[in-house]
Amino acid sequence: MDDTIMILANNEEPSPIQATGSLRLKSSILHRNLTAEPLHVKSAKGSYLYLQDGKSILDASSGAAVACIGHGDEHVRKVMYDQMAKVSYVHAQMYTSGPAEELANWLIDSTDGKMSHCLFMCSGSEAMETALKLSRQYFLELNPPQPERHIFISRRQSYHGATLGALAVSGHLARRANYEPLMLPHMRQVSGCNEYRYKNPGESTEEYVARLAQELEDEILDAGANKVCAFIAETIVGAYGVLLVLDEIMCGNGRCGSMHAWQAEAVVPDIQTIGKGLGGGYQPIAAVLLNRKVHGALESGTGSFAHGQTYQSHVLACAAALEVQRIIRSNDLIARCKSSGEYLEAALRKQITNHPHVGNVRGRGLFWGVEFVKDRATKEPFDVGDGIANAVHLLALERGVAIYPGVGTADGVHGDHVLVAPPYNILREEIDVVVSVTRNCIEDVFHSLGLQASELR
């Protein structure tokens, strides 16, 4: 690996951080990487981040698929300023507010009557914790109650949040590893839904889907059909009384080309979590939506939900999120997300899929992943220590484009990919830059490793 890429891959050169008027070589924040300082962002506008050192970054991943309308929107800023002049915070146990009520109505209306109520948390992890507790309480509130239901089933390689409950229903081995002794014991996993990796030779897509559905049914029966609370993330309708919880923290709110990703499928959840595209990064906010069946059980039972948090339904966060959603609708950004996504897909497939170490390009709307493999024929992943995804990410960052690295793609530990998830209002010429830089960085990283030269055409 050449010196430039080696430095980037190892994160060996921390950048100084300006704080309280003095130059510090080390931050007082406990960053996720303790050996190198992150880039210091001074300002942001539209699809761009502007760094303290004068460089600009085209935010092609919207942070972590968050900044859906871009950065620095003046309408959102004005709404937040005006709301702060009225009221910023009230405790949800005793009070409600106009922004929270309006946002709830807005979201429920967006489901075309399929969902009936919602509540607002501060993060996706909190939303998933809430969904778990809501699922459990639903069965306790039924008449007669079903207290024996305590098992949750999710998919291997899935990730539903960093808090212990959300992590316990996640199947991502690497993220769970340090905390396995703390994991809740009543969680089960079935195979991940990944046609590229797990569809058998000669098996049709329909046969593959049927096999996964059968595996899930077998798992429910093995666990005890009367003991399973919910199945999290995938699309199966009400089997054995099991609730369907869809996690749309990352893929919802228009990211995949429809307001809710499930609206493009023949399925409706009992409970749904949303988050990143809800507030667009202007405030930390997520939500849990529930249907009439779930709400009705609580309403006719104890008449309460045994859960609450200090910043639940935060007034300022709800005001900001409501304006973000209004901007998405008034500018027809979901339709634009779909059309721009088709443009992005075509560009990725034309410029990247022929590389000998690109195994798969998959996605929908403005939510695309590029998976890297050591061998395309066998789909063998690279060794964890090779750090392929991070090397591509860091080189792209050095060249002014932010794409999001991910690992564990193949089995929860091995496998590399990068995520491209730009703002919904990204320009097509900006998409061209994103794809071109990504293509060149992929080629240069593998060339620096002495691997097979690119066959890009």
Side-chain angles (χ1 to χ4, degrees):
M1 187 179 291
D2 66 47
D3 291 342
T4 302
I5 299 177
M6 181 67 77
I7 290 173
L8 288 169
N10 294 335
N11 262 336
E12 292 175 349
E13 292 193 348
S15 57
I17 286 191
Q18 185 77 28
T20 61
S22 61
L23 191 65
R24 292 188 177 183
L25 294 179
K26 291 290 184 180
S27 171
S28 298
I29 297 174
L30 179 63
H31 292 293
R32 292 173 71 172
N33 185 339
L34 304 187
T35 64
E37 302 289 359
L39 300 175
H40 191 105
V41 178
K42 184 177 181 180
S43 63
K45 188 69 176 177
S47 298
Y48 288 86
L49 304 171
Y50 300 97
L51 306 184
Q52 186 170 308
D53 63 6
K55 293 181 180 178
S56 62
I57 302 290
L58 176 53
D59 190 6
S61 64
S62 304
V66 173
C68 55
I69 64 168
H71 303 275
D73 187 275
E74 295 178 358
H75 297 286
V76 180
R77 182 174 64 186
K78 184 179 186 305
V79 165
M80 292 175 64
Y81 179 85
D82 291 344
Q83 185 59 51
M84 284 191 290
K86 300 173 185 175
V87 57
S88 297
Y89 166 80
V90 295
H91 196 286
Q93 182 176 346
M94 297 174 283
Y95 310 103
T96 188
S97 68
E101 295 290 343
E102 288 184 63
L103 181 59
N105 290 337
W106 184 281
L107 291 176
I108 297 307
D109 289 346
S110 74
T111 70
D112 299 321
K114 299 298 191 298
M115 310 300 275
S116 67
H117 291 77
C118 67
L119 67 160
F120 302 107
M121 318 311 291
C122 297
S123 71
S125 297
E126 290 180 11
M128 184 51 65
E129 295 281 343
T130 304
L132 297 177
K133 294 171 77 173
L134 185 59
S135 299
R136 169 64 177 169
Q137 187 174 337
Y138 164 77
F139 288 107
L140 297 179
E141 300 281 5
L142 291 177
N143 185 19
Q146 300 179 27
E148 66 277 7
R149 289 191 184 265
H150 62 285
I151 295 172
F152 290 85
I153 301 175
S154 61
R155 292 203 178 277
R156 299 185 189 101
Q157 279 84 268
S158 62
Y159 178 65
H160 299 295
T163 51
L164 287 177
L167 192 59
V169 294
S170 300
H172 197 289
L173 297 177
R175 294 176 186 265
R176 291 170 56 102
N178 288 349
Y179 311 105
E180 281 293 348
L182 307 179
M183 293 292 100
L184 299 174
H186 308 299
M187 309 297 177
R188 291 180 170 229
Q189 270 95 37
V190 291
S191 297
C193 186
N194 185 333
E195 187 174 6
Y196 168 68
R197 286 206 163 270
Y198 303 124
K199 191 174 76 170
N200 293 328
E203 188 175 40
S204 69
T205 298
E206 292 74 17
E207 291 170 334
Y208 173 59
V209 171
R211 177 164 59 85
L212 291 181
Q214 185 62 54
E215 180 187 354
L216 177 58
E217 182 176 1
D218 293 344
E219 190 71 24
I220 292 172
L221 294 175
D222 184 68
N226 65 329
K227 294 181 180 180
V228 179
C229 254
F231 176 55
I232 298 173
E234 297 297 333
T235 54
I236 185 169
V237 184
Y240 302 100
V242 174
L243 294 177
L244 171 63
V245 178
L246 290 186
D247 180 351
E248 294 200 2
I249 298 296
M250 206 169 198
C251 65
N253 289 101
R255 172 61 64 185
C256 289
S258 58
M259 177 60 183
H260 305 282
W262 55 261
Q263 290 174 321
E265 311 294 339
V267 65
V268 177
D270 295 300
I271 298 171
Q272 175 189 0
T273 58
I274 58 176
K276 297 176 184 294
L278 178 57
Y282 288 91
Q283 284 283 282
I285 187 171
V288 179
L289 284 68
L290 54 150
N291 65 13
R292 289 178 180 82
K293 178 179 74 174
V294 176
H295 180 266
L298 272 64
E299 186 177 40
S300 61
T302 60
S304 66
F305 177 36
H307 177 75
Q309 294 182 270
T310 300
Y311 296 113
Q312 185 174 319
S313 298
H314 192 277
V315 182
L316 190 58
C318 288
L322 180 59
E323 184 62 17
V324 169
Q325 297 308 306
R326 284 172 172 160
I327 289 169
I328 290 173
R329 179 177 294 180
S330 64
N331 290 279
D332 204 17
L333 291 185
I334 294 179
R336 183 168 168 181
C337 184
K338 184 177 181 180
S339 62
S340 294
E342 292 169 353
Y343 183 83
L344 173 60
E345 176 187 8
L348 288 171
R349 295 198 185 284
K350 180 179 180 180
Q351 298 191 46
I352 290 176
T353 53
N354 288 327
H355 191 283
H357 295 293
V358 170
N360 190 231
V361 174
R362 57 184 179 268
R364 182 190 291 179
L366 285 175
F367 195 47
W368 286 87
V370 178
E371 181 174 350
F372 305 115
V373 292
K374 185 180 292 187
D375 186 293
R376 288 181 66 158
T378 65
K379 303 178 185 178
E380 178 187 0
F382 285 94
D383 294 335
V384 175
D386 291 335
I388 298 298
N390 200 45
V392 174
H393 152 71
L394 289 168
L395 186 57
L397 204 60
E398 178 70 13
R399 295 177 180 179
V401 172
I403 51 180
Y404 198 88
V407 296
T409 320
D411 58 14
V413 176
H414 303 89
D416 295 86
H417 71 273
V418 291
L419 173 68
V420 181
Y424 303 170
N425 49 7
I426 188 171
L427 303 175
R428 292 205 169 184
E429 51 264 37
E430 292 173 335
I431 292 177
D432 292 338
V433 172
V434 170
V435 175
S436 176
V437 170
T438 301
R439 169 189 182 274
N440 291 336
C441 288
I442 290 170
E443 191 161 34
D444 289 349
V445 164
F446 285 113
H447 179 74
S448 71
L449 291 170
L451 297 175
Q452 185 176 351
S454 170
E455 296 172 358
L456 291 173
R457 290 187 287 272

